[in-house]
């Protein structure tokens, strides 16, 4: 593996963070400043990664384990690793004050961006990155599992296929190029959604149905929506047609249940009670899941590449051209997805955190000792409930 020889690191700004509101939006912002003035604390850099993966440790996993409902959990991650996209790093890359490309003076700039000297990121953006990391790890761990939980696989794979870059494109010539067939398909899906979808009330069933109806029309040569030649030619390949058939079958065989699925602002699916998938859909998942996962990872890796450089001894060396924490996390995703590490999801249903057990500890099913104890205690309570008069084993728990 190329990364094992070269290694990789990211020098990220890492401060102490708080969540504050500015202009009606929530931000994660550092207490330190960049640049600092008049005795303010200066934001400092920290070298991250440094081949953590060789010790079976991944910042990717730490990110996926952030509890997005708990602001303390968000701040804890940032205090350790900084922001996935540090605004102070972006400023270093492009010094000066710009508003939509226009050079402005600092006072004008600061009136529009009051946090501009603090390392900051919108909380919404941070959560979006967490959700993306969770999708990757959930899909990967289901695919590696001895007995796949298809409903769980579906819950994370479908948004990965359809919504990974939701809100990312403007559907004009400035949109970044799509490299993989999965992302080309998604671009097509989002394009149709953009034209015909209702953005105020989201409904997975309506979005799927609208897409299938439009695609049928294109198949018949009717032009109901604006479709480019790129999108039309996509369906000349086999794989995008398989993806389309998967969605058609989903409507055909799982219609009633699809109607009940809720979708939130991060495109996470909330499945109804007792949700189960048809045999047909499971078959599609078996055939498509690995390809979707690898395409989505490949697509984001387009931003990341190795470069040649001259090192401190004047020798030609190679390194990864990484500027932001999230780019390093993408390299970890590559290393993790292609390596034979052992990714596990904690068996405590109230936890569900990911972890990589150390070699020789592959039988470990809980992320921590605490989770193991909590599950044991819960089982004990259940048994007690079923049979309240049963003799307790420990003297301390004897019935009074
Ligand atoms: Zn746990």
């Amino acid at each position: 593996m190329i990364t094992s020889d070269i290694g990789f690191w990211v020098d990220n700004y890492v401060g102490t963070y708080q969540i504050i509101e500015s202009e009606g939006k929530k931000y994660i912002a550092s207490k330190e400043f960049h640049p600092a003035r008049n005795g303010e604390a200066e934001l400092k850099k920290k070298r991250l990664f440094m081949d953590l993966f060789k010790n079976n440790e991944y910042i990717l996993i730490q990110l996926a384990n952030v509890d997005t409902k708990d602001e303390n959990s968000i701040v804890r991650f940032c205090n350790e690793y900084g922001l996935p996209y540090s605004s102070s790093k972006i400023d270093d890359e492009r010094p000066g004050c710009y508003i939509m490309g226009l050079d402005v003076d600092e006072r004008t700039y600061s009136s529009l961006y009051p946090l501009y000297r603090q390392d900051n990121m919108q909380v919404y953006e941070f959560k979006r990155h967490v959700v993306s990391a969770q999708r990757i790890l959930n899909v990967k761990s289901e695919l590696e599992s001895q007995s796949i939980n298809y409903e769980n696989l579906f819950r994370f794979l479908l948004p990965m296929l359809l919504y990974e870059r939701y809100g990312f494109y403007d559907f004009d010539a400035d949109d970044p190029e799509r490299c993989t067939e999965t992302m080309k398909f998604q671009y097509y899906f989002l394009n149709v959604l953009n034209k015909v979808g209702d953005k105020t009330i989201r409904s997975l069933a309506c979005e799927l149905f609208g897409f299938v109806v439009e695609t049928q029309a294109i198949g018949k040569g009717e032009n109901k929506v604006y479709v480019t030649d790129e999108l039309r030619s996509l369906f000349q390949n086999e794989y995008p047609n398989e993806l389309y058939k998967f969605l058609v079958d989903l409507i055909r065989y799982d219609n009633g249940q699809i109607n009940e699925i809720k979708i939130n602002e991060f495109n996470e699916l909330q499945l109804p009670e007792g949700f189960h998938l048809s045999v047909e859909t499971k078959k599609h998942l078996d055939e498509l899941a690995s390809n979707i996962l690898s395409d989505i990872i490949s697509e984001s890796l387009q931003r990341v590449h190795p470069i040649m450089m001259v090192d401190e001894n004047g020798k030609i060396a190679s390194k990864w051209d990484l500027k932001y924490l999230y780019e390093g996390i993408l390299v970890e995703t590559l290393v993790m997805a292609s390596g034979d590490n052992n990714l596990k999801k904690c068996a405590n249903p109230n936890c569900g955190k990911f972890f990589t057990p150390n070699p020789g500890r592959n039988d470990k099913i809980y992320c921590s000792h605490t989770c193991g104890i909590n599950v044991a205690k819960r089982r004990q309570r259940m048994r007690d409930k079923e049979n309240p008069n049963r003799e307790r084993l420990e003297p301390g728990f004897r019935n009074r």
Side-chain angles (χ1 to χ4, degrees):
M1 182 83 217
I2 183 169
T3 43
S4 304
D5 301 330
I6 305 180
F8 69 97
W9 65 91
V10 172
D11 291 324
N12 196 25
Y13 284 109
V14 181
T16 40
Y17 296 85
Q18 55 196 331
I19 293 185
I20 51 177
E21 228 169 287
S22 174
E23 323 268 306
K25 286 181 180 128
K26 276 194 167 182
Y27 285 86
I28 308 166
S30 67
K31 293 176 184 166
E32 299 81 0
F33 292 84
H34 178 71
R37 288 171 192 159
N38 308 321
E40 292 165 338
E42 173 81 46
L43 185 66
K44 292 204 172 70
K45 274 185 183 170
K46 183 173 171 183
R47 183 156 287 190
L48 300 173
F49 298 102
M50 289 310 289
D51 304 343
L52 271 179
F53 70 93
K54 289 179 186 167
N55 301 323
N56 213 14
E57 287 171 41
Y58 298 86
I59 300 179
L60 165 70
I61 292 181
Q62 300 303 329
L63 182 66
N65 284 345
V66 169
D67 177 0
T68 52
K69 288 180 212 76
D70 176 9
E71 293 190 345
N72 291 327
S73 173
I74 294 173
V75 168
R76 240 188 338 265
F77 175 92
C78 297
N79 285 346
E80 187 67 35
Y81 306 109
L83 302 173
Y85 280 100
S86 154
S87 67
S88 300
K89 272 232 120 169
I90 297 170
D91 289 344
D92 286 356
E93 293 298 319
R94 200 170 175 229
C97 302
Y98 302 94
I99 295 173
M100 297 179 79
L102 189 75
D103 211 345
V104 296
D105 64 275
E106 198 177 332
R107 248 184 63 194
T108 314
Y109 191 73
S110 64
S111 66
L112 263 168
Y113 302 104
L115 300 175
Y116 78 108
R117 281 197 303 119
Q118 285 154 277
D119 194 25
N120 72 80
M121 184 176 192
Q122 259 193 51
V123 171
Y124 175 84
E125 278 302 306
F126 181 87
K127 288 183 180 177
R128 221 169 46 80
H129 284 88
V130 174
V131 168
S132 188
Q134 288 172 345
R135 268 182 207 144
I136 288 171
L137 294 188
N138 272 287
V139 169
K140 181 175 155 62
S141 76
E142 284 303 342
L143 288 176
E144 284 172 358
S145 156
Q146 303 288 328
S147 57
I148 296 180
N149 177 336
Y150 283 95
E151 285 70 27
N152 195 49
L153 177 60
F154 174 83
R155 183 154 79 94
F156 292 98
L157 191 77
L158 195 72
M160 184 184 266
L161 169 63
L162 300 179
Y163 304 111
E164 186 67 26
R165 296 205 165 175
Y166 184 87
F168 187 88
Y169 298 118
D170 296 319
F171 306 104
D172 57 26
D174 290 337
D175 283 343
E177 206 185 323
R178 286 71 57 194
C179 305
T180 59
E181 286 199 317
T182 302
M183 193 47 72
K184 285 177 186 170
F185 183 87
Q186 180 173 126
Y187 185 73
Y188 176 43
F189 177 83
L190 294 175
N191 198 355
V192 173
L193 209 64
N194 186 49
K195 299 289 185 306
V196 302
D198 182 344
K199 279 154 213 111
T200 47
I201 314 154
R202 301 280 309 275
S203 151
L204 177 69
C206 288
E207 293 179 6
L208 279 177
F209 201 75
F211 172 73
V212 167
V213 169
E214 292 298 322
T215 308
Q216 275 177 356
I218 290 158
K220 289 178 196 151
E222 303 165 19
N223 256 356
K224 290 182 77 175
V225 289
Y226 171 72
V227 180
T228 62
D229 288 342
E230 175 203 338
L231 296 175
R232 213 186 298 273
S233 66
L234 176 68
F235 281 93
Q236 286 165 7
N237 301 337
E238 194 183 330
Y239 171 67
N241 279 297
E242 281 173 26
L243 292 176
Y244 176 65
K245 199 162 177 305
F246 163 46
L247 300 185
V248 172
D249 279 355
L250 202 54
I251 293 174
R252 189 180 295 163
Y253 298 107
D254 298 281
N255 193 17
Q257 297 186 92
I258 299 291
N259 269 320
E260 311 264 307
I261 296 177
K262 292 201 175 71
I263 183 163
N264 72 7
E265 57 178 332
F266 300 105
N267 298 300
E268 291 173 290
L269 303 186
Q270 201 193 324
L271 306 181
E273 195 95 12
F275 182 83
H276 64 277
L277 289 165
S278 63
V279 183
E280 287 80 4
T281 298
K282 285 183 184 170
K283 215 172 137 234
H284 284 299
L285 291 179
D286 275 334
E287 286 163 4
L288 297 169
S290 299
N291 220 21
I292 294 172
L293 176 66
S294 53
D295 270 6
I296 290 298
I297 294 173
S298 294
E299 192 75 31
S300 43
L301 279 169
Q302 302 294 327
R303 291 184 271 170
V304 176
H305 51 90
I307 51 169
M308 297 303 294
M309 42 136 4
V310 178
D311 69 10
E312 53 268 33
N313 305 319
K315 275 193 169 166
I316 288 185
S318 55
K319 71 165 194 171
W320 287 81
D321 187 21
L322 303 173
K323 294 186 182 79
Y324 302 101
L325 167 62
Y326 199 68
E327 293 176 344
I329 289 177
L330 290 174
V331 177
E332 277 190 342
T333 310
L334 168 79
V335 173
M336 161 168 273
S338 53
D340 52 358
N341 54 70
N342 199 352
L343 177 68
K344 291 207 172 185
K345 197 173 182 178
C346 181
N348 176 2
N350 293 341
C351 172
K353 280 186 178 165
F354 287 98
F355 64 101
T356 41
N358 289 328
R361 293 294 317 271
N362 283 348
D363 55 336
K364 220 178 143 187
I365 60 167
Y366 299 112
C367 75
S368 62
H369 193 56
T370 319
C371 276
I373 289 175
N374 284 346
V375 170
K377 274 187 188 161
R378 203 173 312 125
R379 269 199 211 116
Q380 181 68 44
R381 277 197 302 273
M382 298 275 279
R383 278 197 293 269
D384 292 350
K385 232 189 227 165
E386 280 161 17
N387 184 6
N389 298 321
R390 192 169 62 93
E391 274 288 314
R392 300 297 196 277
L393 289 175
E394 303 96 324
F397 288 95
R398 207 171 280 276
N399 268 344
R400 262 162 279 178

